[in-house]
Structure formats: structure tokens, C-alpha cells
Amino acid sequence: MRTLQRGLQPLYTPFLHPKHSTRISLSPATANPAWTRFFHASASNRALDLAYNLHDSKGRSKGPPIIILHGLFGSKTNNRSVSNAFSRILSRPVYAIDLRNHGCSPHDKTHNYTALAEDVEHFLRKHNLHDATLIGHSMGAKTIMTMALRDPECCDNIVAVDNAPVDAALASDFPRFIEGMRKVEEAKPMSQKQADQILEPYARELAVRQFLLTNLIRPEPSEPLRFRIPVRILGDSLDNMADFPFTDPDQARFSKRSLFIRGTRSHYVADETLPIIGRFFPRFELVDVEAGHWVISENPDAFVKTVVQFLQDKD
């Protein structure tokens, strides 16, 4: 596929430095549950009701639904413009979701890909959504891959943006971001400028700080700012975000169409991971878009064109 290219400056920079594992088979993966049980949380996890925005061109979009998931520390508002574009171009309703512990969705101490997947499965059942396209960036990409491998009948196809079904080591910078956000909360800042000054020693790049600080809210006019995301829970879950719950492609496979989009300046989907992607997702297509890790914000035109072409292609 050919894509448009735009030289936009990234809104924020990657937080993870992947060290892709080339292991294919370790321990047996979780068996695929039957469709009748697909949306039920396991005994160890409680599915949460997720906040969302519906983009349906004022009710004119009537096709199969599209579900779009953000990355770590993001929210449904990150995907507002591309969601509107998909709804308008494809005449399909688009549900932009806040994953657990993000945006306006509930908080829970359990934050791993199984729990994230179960929440979205519950969302599909609650809203009676079938034959959906699942789109996810980074953390959202691993979430939709988990869903597809848990039960291929949950969706019609997937679009995974700049992540792969492998384990990836966290960058040493990442705990510093968490520490900085905790320092902000402890200081109880009254202004965005004060919060930025506190965070600066822990996140030197302005774009990174601006992105992290989008999560600041003021509960009441006279109260200090605080993060709407549970910083401590997410900090304790960093290792979970590096993992992937499936390790054996012989135990779980998604044989429907899948699109993997990677940024040309990103290292999240290294060439050595492609054989593993092919074993988990044997019908996958790969498209490189001129961007870093934050493909959607850095090059939205190319991203939208690539996804639209994939979804308009027929078998």
C-alpha cells in the first residue's frame, strides 16, 4: 500500500525501548474460550465499564463498528480527529474508548493485558457490537492482539499500530516519569506551570511533559491540580505492560485479516519480530508509515489513508 507522508513534529516521544524477544514457544498460552464465554471476566479479574466517545457522523454511520484504543497515559481524546475521519469516509460508527486507569474510565489495581482485553470484550457485549474492526496503538495494540488471540470471533479484523506480540523491556527513563508524576502529586501544584517545573527534572523533553500533564485535573476551583490517572497503579504495572500474555503461536492464532502499521523511525516492530507476527497472525499485512512511534499523531493523513485502504480491500 502507498501512504501519504507529512513532516509533522511529534506531539510526544516514545516511552519504551523494546528489546524484542525472538522466542516463539515457551509455556502453553491460555486456551481460547468459547464464544458464549468470551465476554466473561475470569475469576481473578473484574471487567470494568469503560468510558467512550461515539463518532457516527450525527447518526449517518451505520456500518460495522470500529473500536479504537489509545496507548499508555493516553485517552479517547487522542483519537478524536482520526475517529471522525473514519466515520465520515467509511460510514462506520467509531467508538473511541478510555481503557481502565485512563481518561474517564474506572480505576483498578489490576492492570495487565488480560484485564484490558476483558474490559473491551465486556464493552462489545454491553453495546451489542459485532463484526468490529479493532484498532489499537502501543498498549492498545497489544490489547487488541490479546483479544484476537483469546477468541478470533470477537472481531472481523484488527489494526495494530507500532507494537508486536512479543515481550519488550522497559526503558530506564520510564520509572523517572512515574517518579516525577508522583512528585507533582505530592507538591499539590495550583498551576500547570508549577507542575511542569516539578516534572522537568524527570522528563527533560517538553513534548513528553506536555503529554503527561494532559492528565492533570482540578477537582474543584480552589483545589490543587492532581492526576486523573492512578499514577501508583500504573507505575506498579510497568512490567505487565512490557509482557505479552501469549507465547506459543501453536496454541493461539488469529487467521482473519490483520494490519500491522509501524513507524519508519520507530523500533517497536523490528524486522526480527515479523516471523513471530506471521505465526500468530498468518494473514497479516505490514505497512510502514513515515513517523516515529506515535504514528497517529505524527502522520494522521498517512495513518487514515492506510487504514481506509485496508478496510476497503476485499478478500
Side-chain angles (χ1 to χ4, degrees), residues 52-62 65-66 68 76-88 91-97:
Y52 70 99
N53 286 335
L54 173 60
H55 306 265
D56 63 354
S57 297
K58 298 181 179 179
R60 292 189 295 269
S61 300
K62 301 295 185 182
I66 295 173
I68 186 165
K76 59 185 180 293
T77 60
N78 299 152
N79 297 314
R80 181 186 293 118
S81 62
V82 296
S83 296
N84 284 329
F86 291 143
S87 177
R88 183 181 68 255
S91 296
R92 297 176 59 174
V94 180
Y95 294 80
I97 291 177

Side-chain angles (χ1 to χ4, degrees), residues 18-269:
K19 295 180 181 178
H20 296 290
S21 168
T22 56
R23 294 172 298 169
I24 292 179
S25 178
L26 296 176
S27 58
T30 304
N32 289 349
W35 172 251
T36 55
R37 297 179 58 197
F38 166 64
F39 293 109
H40 292 271
S42 70
S44 60
N45 294 316
R46 175 176 60 91
L48 305 180
D49 288 329
L50 302 176
Y52 70 99
N53 286 335
L54 173 60
H55 306 265
D56 63 354
S57 297
K58 298 181 179 179
R60 292 189 295 269
S61 300
K62 301 295 185 182
I66 295 173
I67 313 299
I68 186 165
L69 309 180
H70 57 80
L72 190 62
F73 291 162
S75 73
K76 59 185 180 293
T77 60
N78 299 152
N79 297 314
R80 181 186 293 118
S81 62
V82 296
S83 296
N84 284 329
F86 291 143
S87 177
R88 183 181 68 255
I89 298 170
L90 297 168
S91 296
R92 297 176 59 174
V94 180
Y95 294 80
I97 291 177
D98 279 338
L99 293 167
R100 68 166 53 197
N101 297 315
H102 289 76
C104 299
S105 284
H107 299 174
D108 191 275
K109 65 180 181 180
T110 301
H111 194 88
N112 56 48
Y113 288 113
T114 298
L116 292 168
E118 288 174 347
D119 289 344
V120 183
E121 294 163 3
H122 172 71
F123 182 90
L124 294 178
R125 182 182 68 169
K126 178 179 178 180
H127 295 275
N128 196 30
L129 302 178
H130 303 281
D131 301 319
T133 292
L134 304 180
I135 301 175
H137 171 256
S138 197
M139 177 181 73
K142 279 192 172 181
T143 299
I144 66 168
M145 285 186 269
T146 299
M147 292 173 64
L149 294 175
R150 277 166 58 87
D151 192 319
E153 295 305 312
C154 77
C155 61
D156 187 53
N157 46 54
I158 68 168
V159 178
V161 185
D162 219 56
N163 217 334
V166 295
D167 294 341
L170 292 175
S172 59
D173 285 347
F174 202 94
R176 291 207 302 271
F177 298 146
I178 294 291
E179 183 182 359
M181 295 169 76
R182 288 177 174 172
K183 293 294 185 181
V184 170
E185 290 193 318
E186 292 170 1
K188 301 185 186 322
M190 297 302 296
S191 69
Q192 191 91 2
K193 181 179 180 180
Q194 182 184 359
D196 182 72
Q197 291 172 342
I198 297 168
L199 188 59
E200 184 174 6
Y202 305 92
R204 292 293 184 182
E205 295 185 46
L206 176 61
V208 173
R209 298 199 305 277
Q210 289 175 333
F211 173 60
L212 296 175
L213 294 176
T214 60
N215 289 291
L216 277 181
I217 61 170
R218 192 185 306 276
E220 298 292 340
S222 60
E223 293 185 4
L225 295 167
R226 65 175 177 82
F227 286 105
R228 64 180 175 180
I229 56 176
V231 176
R232 186 169 299 277
I233 289 175
L234 294 177
D236 291 343
S237 303
L238 296 185
D239 287 345
N240 293 336
M241 294 297 92
D243 292 339
F244 188 69
F246 292 90
T247 57
D248 186 354
D250 293 327
Q251 295 290 323
R253 189 167 296 152
F254 183 75
S255 297
K256 298 179 181 180
R257 296 181 69 221
S258 57
L259 173 64
F260 282 72
I261 299 175
R262 63 180 181 177
T264 55
R265 299 189 304 276
S266 174
H267 302 289
Y268 277 65
V269 187

